[in-house]
Amino acid sequence: MSEISIVLIEDHDLTRMGLKTELQLHSGFKVIGEAANATMGLKLLETTKPDVAVIDIGLPDMDGIELTRKFRRYQAETGQSQTKILILTMNNTEDSVLAAFAAGADSYYMKDTSINKFIEAVQVTFGGNSWIDPAIANVVLRKMRQGVPGEHQSADKPKTVKIEALDTEYEQVLETYPLTQRELEILELIVGGCSNSQIAEKLYITVGTVKTHVRNILNKLCADDRTQAAVRALRSGLVV
């Protein structure tokens, strides 16, 4: 299996070096370029065409959201769609989160998250899925509940929030192994942001029972975690 090529665009030297070091500790990753500002970063992305671009929002000459928007425009003009974008930030405000996805980001990673999760985020993003940091998942889910603008939107305007839809294979799994009424109740509470203990309290069952149901839900939705399950539940109409 070929290595995942990565470009790091981060103005903080220590942070950039730390991410590069962590990637080098794991097989299957190759950092092919680094940049400390958006101008250099955009040129680097256009010339190297990496599998994944890790872009910090707080760049000195142009914020990472605008850089993402410009690079997506370049990709559309050239027909180059290989590079996925993982936004790196300390900002979890609703405006920043939605602006990043609207600009064309595939994933959103908070810097204060475990470094092990960074590796997972890169892998998931490379695989064509959206890695959404648990800290901002509720922001995205709220936006999804509100619906998205119509197709008449101008090409010059930012795109709508990009979240993976429920693929045919998942629909087939649900047809074969449909969720029980109890699992649907728990799934709705997961979408609402409830923890296992909160779900147990609301449904008058033990935490162990909740964990069993959650595991079954993840298996049936082919989801890796609760956040992914919640996104797929909303996309499929299981929870409204």
Side-chain angles (χ1 to χ4, degrees):
M1 181 177 178
S2 60
E3 294 178 311
I4 300 173
S5 59
I6 300 165
V7 162
L8 300 174
I9 305 175
E10 160 67 61
D11 65 317
H12 195 279
D13 292 341
L14 288 178
T15 299
R16 192 173 66 253
M17 290 170 59
L19 294 175
K20 182 177 181 180
T21 299
E22 183 64 23
L23 287 167
Q24 291 174 333
L25 291 174
H26 294 75
S27 61
F29 299 95
K30 184 178 182 180
V31 177
I32 61 172
E34 302 174 56
N37 60 57
T39 302
M40 292 175 57
L42 182 57
K43 291 179 180 178
L44 190 60
L45 292 177
E46 291 175 355
T47 55
T48 62
K49 299 177 176 61
D51 294 320
V52 178
V54 178
I55 302 176
D56 181 35
I57 280 187
L59 298 171
D61 52 339
M62 178 198 314
D63 68 51
I65 293 174
E66 183 60 25
L67 169 57
T68 297
R69 187 173 293 117
K70 286 192 173 185
F71 181 58
R72 287 305 193 208
R73 188 176 300 126
Y74 165 82
Q75 286 185 303
E77 292 171 352
T78 60
Q80 191 276 113
S81 59
Q82 171 184 331
T83 303
K84 309 297 182 183
I85 295 178
L86 190 159
I87 289 292
L88 188 68
T89 183
M90 287 293 291
N91 194 337
N92 64 354
T93 63
E94 181 170 333
D95 287 346
S96 293
V97 172
L98 297 181
F101 281 113
D106 295 289
S107 298
Y108 199 96
Y109 177 86
M110 297 293 293
K111 289 182 179 180
D112 56 359
T113 305
S114 164
I115 193 65
N116 291 331
K117 288 293 183 181
F118 174 68
I119 298 300
E120 178 185 325
V122 172
Q123 291 173 322
V124 169
T125 304
F126 170 71
N129 296 319
S130 297
W131 196 92
I132 307 172
D133 196 295
I136 58 94
N138 283 337
V139 171
V140 179
L141 294 175
R142 280 200 305 271
K143 183 64 176 179
M144 289 174 62
R145 286 198 186 102
Q146 295 169 7
V148 296
E151 294 298 325
H152 62 276
Q153 198 170 357
S154 169
D156 294 331
K157 293 182 179 180
K159 296 182 296 182
T160 56
V161 176
K162 179 186 178 185
I163 303 296
E164 64 173 313
L166 194 74
D167 295 333
T168 303
E169 61 184 281
Y170 305 132
E171 294 176 348
Q172 292 173 345
V173 170
L174 285 177
E175 288 177 3
T176 307
Y177 305 103
L179 269 64
T180 66
Q181 185 59 43
R182 176 62 87 187
E183 288 167 349
L184 287 170
E185 291 174 350
I186 291 175
L187 182 58
E188 186 171 359
L189 292 172
I190 289 174
V191 171
C194 293
S195 65
N196 285 347
S197 59
Q198 290 172 324
I199 293 174
E201 184 177 347
K202 288 177 180 292
L203 298 181
Y204 303 102
I205 56 179
T206 67
V207 173
T209 300
V210 173
K211 289 181 178 179
T212 298
H213 284 306
V214 170
R215 185 166 58 250
N216 291 337
I217 291 169
L218 295 184
N219 288 337
K220 290 180 179 181
L221 293 181
C222 300
D224 296 326
D225 53 40
R226 295 161 65 97
T227 300
Q228 195 175 67
V231 170
R232 287 178 177 165
L234 288 167
R235 274 301 192 198
S236 66
L238 287 171
V239 175
V240 295

